Amino acid sequence: MFDIKWIRANAEAFDTAMQKRGAAYRAQPLIELDENRRAVIARLNEAQEKRNAASKLIGQAKAQKDEARAQALMAEVAGLKDDIQKGEAEEREAEAKLKAALEVIPNIALDDVPVGDDETDNVEYFGPNGSPELAAKARPPKPSFAYRPKEHYELGEALGQMDFEIAAKLSGSRFVVLKSHLARLERAIGQFMLNTHVDEHGYTEVQPPLLVRDEALYGTGQLPKFLADQFAAVKDVTAEEADRLWLIPTAEVPLTNLVRESILSEEELPLRFTALTPCFRSEAGSAGRDTRGMLRQHQFDKVEMVSITTPETSTDEHERMLDCAEKVLARLGLHYRVMTLSTGDMGFGAQKTYDIEVWLPGQDTYREISSVSVCGDFQARRMEARYRAADGKPRYVHTLNGSGTAVGRALIAVMENYQQEDGSVSVPEALRPYMGGLTTIGGR
RNA sequence: GGAGAGAUGGCCGAGUGGUCGAAGGCGCACGCCUGGAAAGUGUGUAGGCGGGUAACCGUCUCGAGGGUUCGAAUCCCUCUCUCUCCGCCA
């Protein structure tokens, strides 16, 4: 959510930024809405001032038992009441119009974000020093296979531990049932990632609600614009008017909203939260994409990281968070690359986003497994999340979120990267403690 | 699910139509006092919006949103949340 004052003062910068994002929003119509709003407020305030002054006098007259004077004064301001009520209605309308216009505008990209139309304009990122060699040294190498590596669903179905047919019978398409060692492998991956962030990266573990109100989704930016992507849970199916909660599309929603409507002290920042939760997405816009396998599901587990920082530290925190996400992939021995998303590919609330793309040998391609974004004060404004700065004034915090990482996709990656020619999957070293020491899934 | 009671500033708490953004206390900040500290004492101590270079002025906000009234923390309606008792329940 933008500050209209900022748009007013930086109309040109706003227009340029929107152009870069390929968005049609422009400052001028917003400024007009704001001017109307301010004119309405000024008029209303004037009328209220008159009324308040008169009411005070009436109060005094009544206190002095001067009934005649009180009556005279009351007659004098009687006409104001109508004006004020009309003014109040006008103000509500003007505020609502401006808000409705502002709340659907995407965030502005930071200056160092590559300008582009879509994912083809994303740029590979090699860390703060920009060295491909150093980056390559820090990351696991791409594995090579002497045979055509299989896709995860081929492996999983052959193992008899990944069942899309029965899942479809239970829940429809885009669901999966995992069994036996694969079920445990998914749990192991989640536990491993969560433990890593809690024990080594300084994140506070959170077990948040999976069902949230409208306000929470509004705070992180999913509502009102992306209503169609969400799953809703109806409180009482027999009720005439459906009272509903939303299934979280990501733990970003509850974790970020942990600080909503509060004024934090500067000393307690940064706050770092992490959670392992299921995520629910209806993926309405992308029917037909990735229909095979468990790459794109209506339900998946994800470990999420959220940081709440001051404005001064948010970009450093962004690099740190990316590093935390990379760490778990490196520990799992999974080859990956990092992309800086172009202005055309970024999400609604992001100022800058890194995607981590893991290598999937079965698909012979890189696929997104983590997305790490800095949102500036965009979400903070929607949530009214502030902190008290050194000068004593409340300022909006900055928020960041990142997957650390998607558990379902990590399972796919582990299967495809650790597969063996006989169709078995060896268990990465880091996960064996979570697998009761099991070293191989399937095989003889 | 049923019955009842509530929600006031950072915290506690008074206030049931009139000069109340709100007594009092605690906390906090600054000053005085002190060799230093404690105690004591004085002053200050919410947020949003509009206007103004600023000092400042105006306005709104007593859980949230509407309404009644010249005037609402106080009366009415709706919503949210909390607590107590009963019921149900992993």
Side-chain angles (χ1 to χ4, degrees):
Chain A
M1 177 84 95
F2 279 97
D3 180 5
I4 184 61
K5 282 191 223 162
W6 184 88
I7 296 179
R8 241 195 277 158
N10 302 277
E12 255 176 67
F14 177 82
D15 286 352
T16 309
M18 284 301 132
Q19 251 153 6
K20 281 189 190 171
R21 285 209 67 158
Y25 305 106
R26 293 296 177 265
Q28 192 50 41
L30 299 166
I31 289 173
E32 280 165 24
L33 283 174
D34 185 49
E35 269 165 10
N36 170 54
R37 172 183 142 270
R38 285 192 293 160
V40 166
I41 287 174
R43 247 182 287 139
L44 175 62
N45 279 4
E46 215 177 302
Q48 285 170 328
E49 189 179 351
K50 274 194 227 162
R51 180 204 60 193
N52 288 350
S55 290
K56 238 176 214 189
L57 292 177
I58 292 169
Q60 284 169 0
K62 289 252 185 186
Q64 291 159 11
K65 306 277 185 218
D66 188 347
E67 198 54 38
R69 191 167 128 76
Q71 288 298 329
L73 283 162
M74 278 162 70
E76 210 177 299
V77 291
L80 275 178
K81 193 182 170 183
D82 228 37
D83 290 351
I84 288 171
Q85 287 192 325
K86 244 174 48 201
E88 282 172 347
E90 275 171 12
E91 190 201 353
R92 275 199 290 274
E93 198 192 331
E95 299 272 12
K97 272 189 187 160
L98 180 63
K99 180 163 179 265
L102 288 174
E103 67 192 4
V104 295
I105 299 174
N107 205 351
I108 280 180
L110 295 177
D111 286 338
D112 58 347
V113 171
V115 176
D117 299 328
D118 52 40
E119 70 274 7
T120 58
D121 296 310
N122 296 348
V123 174
E124 188 160 5
Y125 180 66
F126 299 104
N129 52 42
S131 157
E133 293 76 25
L134 280 176
K137 241 169 59 188
R139 299 170 185 175
K142 191 192 276 192
S144 59
F145 293 85
Y147 57 96
R148 181 191 76 80
K150 294 189 177 70
E151 296 210 42
H152 69 278
Y153 52 85
E154 300 176 80
L155 293 161
E157 287 177 329
L159 286 165
Q161 300 180 20
M162 184 180 286
D163 195 333
F164 294 97
E165 280 179 39
I166 189 64
K169 284 181 189 167
L170 302 184
S171 308
S173 67
R174 297 193 187 277
F175 287 92
V176 68
V177 171
L178 298 179
K179 287 191 283 200
S180 186
H181 294 321
L182 281 189
R184 179 153 185 178
L185 182 62
E186 177 158 64
R187 180 159 59 91
I189 290 169
Q191 298 300 321
F192 160 73
M193 289 175 174
L194 186 63
N195 283 358
T196 302
H197 296 313
V198 170
D199 297 338
E200 297 174 32
H201 298 157
Y203 284 82
T204 302
E205 182 170 355
V206 177
Q207 189 66 259
L210 307 180
L211 297 172
V212 297
R213 294 176 186 286
D214 290 22
E215 288 84 342
L217 280 188
Y218 181 88
T220 36
Q222 282 83 9
L223 287 184
K225 212 175 183 179
F226 305 99
L227 180 119
D229 295 341
Q230 315 301 326
F231 274 110
V234 177
K235 263 189 193 164
D236 178 2
V237 292
T238 63
E240 302 231 339
E241 206 152 320
D243 209 355
R244 67 191 174 186
L245 289 171
W246 301 97
L247 279 73
I248 58 169
T250 158
E252 170 198 344
V253 175
L255 293 185
T256 309
N257 277 281
L258 247 27
V259 297
R260 68 175 295 119
E261 293 163 57
S262 61
I263 301 181
L264 306 162
S265 67
E266 184 159 5
E267 298 81 65
E268 59 190 311
L269 300 178
L271 288 169
R272 299 190 175 106
F273 302 120
T274 186
L276 165 60
T277 69
C279 303
F280 303 92
R281 299 187 183 176
S282 72
E283 305 280 359
S286 55
R289 272 185 79 189
D290 303 314
T291 47
R292 294 220 61 179
M294 52 181 288
L295 195 78
R296 193 179 299 274
Q297 301 275 290
H298 286 317
Q299 175 191 328
F300 58 95
D301 280 7
K302 181 160 61 65
V303 172
E304 183 74 2
M305 300 173 283
V306 161
S307 293
I308 312 295
T309 74
T310 62
E312 290 75 24
T313 54
S314 62
T315 52
D316 284 349
E317 183 74 9
H318 193 207
E319 299 296 326
R320 183 187 188 276
M321 188 179 275
L322 173 65
D323 205 56
C324 294
E326 285 185 61
K327 210 62 83 42
V328 297
L329 294 183
R331 293 268 296 277
L332 290 174
L334 295 171
H335 178 68
Y336 63 87
R337 65 179 188 184
V338 179
M339 307 297 288
T340 306
L341 296 196
S342 79
T343 52
D345 198 27
M346 286 198 313
F348 180 67
Q351 284 183 326
K352 182 177 178 180
T353 298
Y354 296 123
D355 270 9
I356 303 178
E357 298 180 341
V358 71
W359 175 250
L360 296 184
Q363 285 201 6
D364 192 31
T365 188
Y366 290 95
R367 296 303 300 246
E368 177 187 343
I369 192 166
S370 170
S371 194
V372 182
S373 298
V374 55
C375 300
D377 62 9
F378 188 86
Q379 295 177 323
R381 282 179 193 287
R382 300 173 83 98
M383 297 188 301
E384 279 301 313
R386 294 172 291 176
Y387 76 101
R388 206 171 286 282
D391 63 3
K393 291 257 180 283
R395 296 161 74 193
Y396 287 107
V397 297
H398 278 200
T399 61
L400 300 96
N401 63 79
S403 2
T405 66
V407 176
R409 290 193 176 177
L411 176 85
I412 294 174
V414 166
M415 290 177 70
E416 294 198 7
N417 281 278
Y418 283 83
Q419 65 177 289
Q420 295 169 331
E421 192 155 13
D422 64 356
S424 64
V425 174
S426 65
V427 176
E429 206 69 59
L431 297 179
R432 289 181 189 173
Y434 298 88
M435 295 292 288
L438 189 74
T439 58
T440 308
I441 296 173
R444 299 264 137 222

